[in-house]
Coordinates of all heavy atoms in Angstrom, one line a residue:
R142 N 27.1 -1.9 -15.9 CA 28.0 -2.8 -16.5 C 27.2 -3.9 -17.3 O 26.1 -4.2 -16.9 CB 28.9 -3.4 -15.3 CG 28.2 -4.6 -14.5 CD 29.3 -5.0 -13.5 NE 28.7 -6.2 -12.8 CZ 29.3 -7.3 -12.7 NH1 30.5 -7.6 -13.3 NH2 28.8 -8.3 -12.1
V143 N 27.9 -4.5 -18.3 CA 27.3 -5.5 -19.1 C 28.2 -6.8 -18.8 O 29.4 -6.8 -19.1 CB 27.4 -5.2 -20.5 CG1 26.8 -6.3 -21.4 CG2 26.5 -4.0 -20.8
V144 N 27.6 -7.8 -18.3 CA 28.3 -9.1 -18.1 C 27.9 -10.0 -19.2 O 26.6 -10.2 -19.5 CB 27.8 -9.8 -16.7 CG1 28.6 -11.0 -16.4 CG2 28.0 -8.7 -15.6
S145 N 28.9 -10.6 -19.9 CA 28.5 -11.3 -21.1 C 29.4 -12.7 -21.2 O 30.4 -12.8 -20.5 CB 28.7 -10.5 -22.4 OG 30.1 -10.2 -22.5
G146 N 28.9 -13.5 -22.1 CA 29.7 -14.8 -22.4 C 30.0 -15.6 -21.1 O 29.3 -15.8 -20.3
E147 N 31.3 -16.0 -21.2 CA 31.7 -16.9 -20.1 C 31.7 -16.3 -18.7 O 31.7 -17.0 -17.7 CB 33.1 -17.6 -20.5 CG 33.2 -18.4 -21.7 CD 32.3 -19.6 -21.6 OE1 32.2 -20.2 -20.5 OE2 31.6 -19.9 -22.6
Q148 N 31.8 -15.0 -18.7 CA 31.8 -14.3 -17.4 C 30.5 -14.6 -16.7 O 30.4 -14.5 -15.5 CB 32.0 -12.8 -17.7 CG 32.2 -12.0 -16.3 CD 33.4 -12.5 -15.5 OE1 34.4 -12.9 -16.1 NE2 33.3 -12.4 -14.2
L149 N 29.4 -14.7 -17.5 CA 28.1 -15.1 -16.8 C 28.2 -16.3 -16.1 O 27.7 -16.4 -14.9 CB 27.0 -15.2 -17.9 CG 26.5 -13.8 -18.6 CD1 25.7 -14.2 -19.9 CD2 25.6 -13.1 -17.7
A150 N 28.8 -17.3 -16.7 CA 28.9 -18.6 -16.0 C 29.8 -18.4 -14.8 O 29.5 -19.1 -13.7 CB 29.5 -19.7 -16.9
A151 N 30.9 -17.7 -14.9 CA 31.8 -17.5 -13.8 C 31.1 -16.8 -12.6 O 31.5 -17.1 -11.4 CB 33.0 -16.6 -14.2
E152 N 30.2 -15.9 -12.9 CA 29.5 -15.2 -11.8 C 28.2 -15.9 -11.3 O 27.6 -15.4 -10.4 CB 29.1 -13.8 -12.3 CG 30.4 -12.9 -12.5 CD 30.1 -11.5 -12.7 OE1 28.9 -11.0 -12.4 OE2 31.0 -10.8 -13.3
G153 N 27.9 -17.0 -12.0 CA 26.8 -17.8 -11.5 C 25.4 -17.6 -12.1 O 24.5 -18.0 -11.6
W154 N 25.4 -16.8 -13.2 CA 24.2 -16.4 -13.9 C 23.8 -17.6 -14.9 O 24.0 -17.4 -16.1 CB 24.2 -15.1 -14.5 CG 24.6 -14.0 -13.6 CD1 25.6 -13.1 -13.6 CD2 23.8 -13.6 -12.4 NE1 25.6 -12.3 -12.6 CE2 24.5 -12.6 -11.8 CE3 22.7 -14.1 -11.8 CZ2 24.0 -11.9 -10.6 CZ3 22.2 -13.4 -10.6 CH2 22.9 -12.4 -10.1
T155 N 23.4 -18.6 -14.4 CA 23.4 -20.0 -15.1 C 22.2 -20.0 -16.1 O 22.3 -20.6 -17.2 CB 23.1 -21.1 -14.1 OG1 23.3 -22.4 -14.8 CG2 21.8 -21.1 -13.4
G156 N 21.1 -19.2 -15.8 CA 20.0 -19.3 -16.8 C 20.3 -18.5 -18.1 O 20.1 -19.0 -19.2
I157 N 20.8 -17.2 -17.9 CA 21.2 -16.5 -19.1 C 22.2 -17.2 -19.9 O 22.1 -17.3 -21.1 CB 21.5 -15.0 -18.7 CG1 20.4 -14.4 -18.0 CG2 21.9 -14.3 -19.9 CD1 20.9 -13.0 -17.4
Y158 N 23.2 -17.7 -19.2 CA 24.4 -18.4 -19.9 C 23.9 -19.5 -20.7 O 24.2 -19.7 -21.8 CB 25.4 -18.7 -18.9 CG 26.5 -19.6 -19.5 CD1 27.5 -18.9 -20.2 CD2 26.6 -21.0 -19.3 CE1 28.5 -19.7 -20.9 CE2 27.6 -21.7 -19.8 CZ 28.5 -21.1 -20.6 OH 29.6 -21.8 -21.3
N159 N 23.1 -20.5 -20.1 CA 22.7 -21.7 -20.7 C 21.7 -21.5 -21.9 O 21.9 -22.1 -22.9 CB 22.2 -22.6 -19.7 CG 23.3 -23.4 -19.0 OD1 23.9 -24.3 -19.5 ND2 23.5 -23.0 -17.8
V160 N 20.8 -20.5 -21.7 CA 19.9 -20.3 -22.8 C 20.7 -19.7 -24.0 O 20.4 -20.0 -25.1 CB 18.9 -19.3 -22.3 CG1 18.0 -18.8 -23.5 CG2 17.9 -20.1 -21.4
G161 N 21.7 -18.9 -23.7 CA 22.4 -18.1 -24.9 C 23.6 -18.8 -25.3 O 24.1 -18.3 -26.3
R162 N 24.1 -20.0 -24.7 CA 25.4 -20.5 -25.2 C 25.3 -21.2 -26.5 O 26.4 -21.5 -27.1 CB 25.9 -21.4 -24.1 CG 25.1 -22.7 -23.8 CD 25.7 -23.4 -22.5 NE 24.9 -24.6 -22.1 CZ 25.2 -25.8 -22.4 NH1 26.2 -26.1 -23.3 NH2 24.4 -26.7 -21.9
P168 N 25.4 -14.4 -24.8 CA 24.4 -13.8 -23.9 C 24.9 -12.7 -23.1 O 26.1 -12.6 -22.9 CB 23.9 -15.0 -23.1 CG 25.1 -15.9 -23.0 CD 25.9 -15.7 -24.4
A169 N 24.0 -11.9 -22.5 CA 24.5 -10.8 -21.7 C 23.5 -10.4 -20.6 O 22.3 -10.6 -20.8 CB 24.8 -9.6 -22.5
M170 N 24.0 -9.9 -19.5 CA 23.1 -9.3 -18.5 C 23.5 -7.8 -18.3 O 24.7 -7.5 -18.1 CB 23.2 -10.0 -17.1 CG 22.3 -9.3 -16.1 SD 22.6 -9.9 -14.4 CE 21.5 -11.2 -14.3
L171 N 22.5 -6.9 -18.5 CA 22.8 -5.5 -18.1 C 22.4 -5.3 -16.7 O 21.2 -5.6 -16.3 CB 22.0 -4.6 -19.0 CG 22.0 -3.1 -18.6 CD1 23.4 -2.5 -18.8 CD2 21.0 -2.3 -19.4
E172 N 23.3 -4.8 -15.9 CA 23.1 -4.3 -14.5 C 23.2 -2.8 -14.5 O 24.3 -2.2 -14.6 CB 24.1 -4.9 -13.5 CG 24.0 -6.4 -13.5 CD 25.0 -7.1 -12.6 OE1 26.0 -6.3 -12.3 OE2 25.0 -8.3 -12.4
V190 N 13.1 -5.8 -14.1 CA 13.7 -7.0 -14.7 C 13.0 -7.2 -16.0 O 11.8 -7.3 -16.0 CB 13.6 -8.2 -13.8 CG1 14.4 -9.4 -14.4 CG2 14.2 -8.0 -12.4
F241 N 17.6 -4.6 -14.6 CA 18.4 -5.8 -15.0 C 17.8 -6.4 -16.2 O 16.6 -6.8 -16.2 CB 18.3 -6.9 -13.9 CG 18.8 -6.4 -12.6 CD1 18.0 -5.8 -11.6 CD2 20.2 -6.5 -12.3 CE1 18.5 -5.4 -10.4 CE2 20.7 -6.1 -11.1 CZ 19.9 -5.6 -10.1
L242 N 18.6 -6.4 -17.3 CA 18.0 -7.0 -18.6 C 18.8 -8.3 -18.8 O 20.0 -8.4 -18.8 CB 18.4 -6.0 -19.8 CG 17.7 -4.6 -19.7 CD1 18.0 -3.9 -21.0 CD2 16.3 -4.6 -19.3
C243 N 18.0 -9.3 -19.1 CA 18.5 -10.7 -19.3 C 18.4 -11.1 -20.7 O 17.4 -11.4 -21.3 CB 17.6 -11.6 -18.5 SG 17.3 -11.1 -16.7
C244 N 19.5 -11.0 -21.4 CA 19.6 -11.0 -22.9 C 20.3 -12.2 -23.5 O 21.4 -12.6 -23.0 CB 20.3 -9.7 -23.3 SG 19.8 -8.2 -22.6
A245 N 19.7 -12.8 -24.4 CA 20.2 -14.1 -25.0 C 19.5 -14.3 -26.4 O 18.3 -13.9 -26.6 CB 20.1 -15.3 -24.1
L260 N 19.9 -27.3 -14.4 CA 20.6 -26.0 -14.1 C 20.4 -25.8 -12.6 O 19.3 -25.9 -12.1 CB 20.1 -24.9 -14.9 CG 19.9 -25.1 -16.4 CD1 19.4 -23.7 -16.9 CD2 21.2 -25.6 -17.0
T261 N 21.4 -25.4 -11.8 CA 21.4 -25.0 -10.5 C 21.7 -23.5 -10.3 O 22.8 -23.1 -10.8 CB 22.3 -25.8 -9.6 OG1 21.9 -27.2 -9.7 CG2 22.1 -25.4 -8.1
Y262 N 20.7 -22.7 -9.8 CA 20.8 -21.3 -9.7 C 21.6 -20.9 -8.5 O 21.9 -21.6 -7.5 CB 19.4 -20.7 -9.7 CG 18.9 -20.6 -11.1 CD1 18.3 -21.8 -11.7 CD2 18.9 -19.5 -12.0 CE1 17.8 -21.8 -13.0 CE2 18.5 -19.4 -13.3 CZ 17.9 -20.6 -13.8 OH 17.4 -20.6 -15.1
K263 N 22.0 -19.6 -8.4 CA 22.7 -19.0 -7.4 C 22.0 -19.2 -6.0 O 22.6 -19.2 -4.9 CB 23.0 -17.6 -7.6 CG 24.1 -17.2 -8.7 CD 24.3 -15.8 -8.9 CE 25.1 -15.2 -7.8 NZ 25.5 -13.8 -8.1
N264 N 20.7 -19.2 -6.0 CA 19.9 -19.3 -4.8 C 19.7 -20.8 -4.4 O 19.0 -21.1 -3.4 CB 18.5 -18.6 -4.9 CG 17.6 -19.3 -5.9 OD1 18.0 -20.0 -6.7 ND2 16.3 -18.9 -5.8
L279 N 13.8 -19.0 -17.6 CA 15.1 -19.4 -17.1 C 16.0 -18.1 -17.0 O 16.9 -18.0 -16.1 CB 15.7 -20.4 -18.1 CG 15.0 -21.6 -18.2 CD1 15.5 -22.6 -19.4 CD2 15.1 -22.5 -16.9
V280 N 15.9 -17.2 -18.0 CA 16.7 -16.0 -18.0 C 16.2 -15.0 -16.9 O 17.0 -14.4 -16.2 CB 16.9 -15.3 -19.3 CG1 17.5 -16.3 -20.4 CG2 15.6 -14.8 -19.8
L281 N 14.9 -14.9 -16.8 CA 14.3 -14.0 -15.8 C 14.6 -14.4 -14.3 O 14.8 -13.6 -13.4 CB 12.8 -14.0 -15.9 CG 12.2 -13.2 -17.1 CD1 10.8 -13.3 -17.1 CD2 12.6 -11.7 -16.9
A282 N 14.8 -15.8 -14.2 CA 15.2 -16.2 -12.8 C 16.5 -15.6 -12.3 O 16.6 -15.1 -11.2 CB 15.3 -17.7 -12.8
D283 N 17.5 -15.4 -13.2 CA 18.7 -14.8 -12.9 C 18.5 -13.3 -12.5 O 19.0 -12.8 -11.5 CB 19.8 -14.8 -14.0 CG 20.4 -16.2 -14.1 OD1 20.6 -16.8 -13.1 OD2 20.9 -16.5 -15.2
G284 N 17.7 -12.6 -13.4 CA 17.4 -11.2 -13.1 C 16.6 -11.0 -11.8 O 16.9 -10.1 -11.1
L285 N 15.7 -12.0 -11.5 CA 14.9 -11.8 -10.2 C 15.9 -12.1 -9.0 O 15.7 -11.4 -7.9 CB 13.8 -12.7 -10.2 CG 12.7 -12.4 -11.2 CD1 11.7 -13.6 -11.3 CD2 12.0 -11.1 -10.8
I286 N 16.9 -13.0 -9.1 CA 17.8 -13.2 -8.0 C 18.7 -11.9 -7.8 O 18.8 -11.4 -6.7 CB 18.7 -14.4 -8.3 CG1 17.9 -15.7 -8.3 CG2 19.9 -14.5 -7.3 CD1 18.7 -16.9 -8.8
A287 N 19.1 -11.3 -8.9 CA 19.9 -10.1 -8.8 C 19.1 -9.0 -8.2 O 19.5 -8.2 -7.4 CB 20.4 -9.7 -10.2
A288 N 17.8 -8.8 -8.7 CA 16.9 -7.8 -8.1 C 16.7 -8.0 -6.6 O 16.7 -7.1 -5.8 CB 15.6 -7.8 -8.9
S289 N 16.5 -9.3 -6.2 CA 16.4 -9.5 -4.8 C 17.6 -9.2 -4.0 O 17.5 -8.7 -2.8 CB 16.0 -11.0 -4.6 OG 14.8 -11.4 -5.2
E290 N 18.7 -9.5 -4.5 CA 20.0 -9.1 -3.9 C 20.1 -7.6 -3.7 O 20.8 -7.1 -2.8 CB 21.2 -9.6 -4.7 CG 21.4 -11.1 -4.7 CD 22.5 -11.6 -5.5 OE1 23.0 -10.8 -6.3 OE2 22.8 -12.8 -5.5
S291 N 19.5 -6.8 -4.5 CA 19.5 -5.3 -4.4 C 18.7 -4.8 -3.2 O 18.7 -3.6 -2.9 CB 19.0 -4.7 -5.7 OG 17.7 -4.7 -5.8
F383 N 12.4 -17.5 -7.3 CA 13.7 -16.8 -7.4 C 13.5 -15.4 -6.8 O 14.5 -14.6 -7.1 CB 14.0 -16.8 -8.8 CG 14.2 -18.2 -9.4 CD1 13.2 -18.8 -10.1 CD2 15.5 -18.9 -9.2 CE1 13.3 -20.1 -10.5 CE2 15.5 -20.2 -9.7 CZ 14.5 -20.8 -10.4

Side-chain angles (χ1 to χ4, degrees):
R142 73 179 189 127
V143 176
V144 185
S145 64
E147 296 300 319
Q148 188 62 29
L149 287 164
E152 295 189 18
W154 303 119
T155 189
I157 300 172
Y158 174 75
N159 278 281
V160 169
R162 66 187 172 97
M170 176 191 273
L171 171 65
E172 300 174 348
V190 181
F241 301 93
L242 301 187
C243 310
C244 310
L260 311 183
T261 301
Y262 283 81
K263 288 180 75 172
N264 66 346
L279 296 174
V280 302
L281 282 176
D283 281 332
L285 291 171
I286 292 171
S289 299
E290 290 175 350
S291 77
F383 303 92

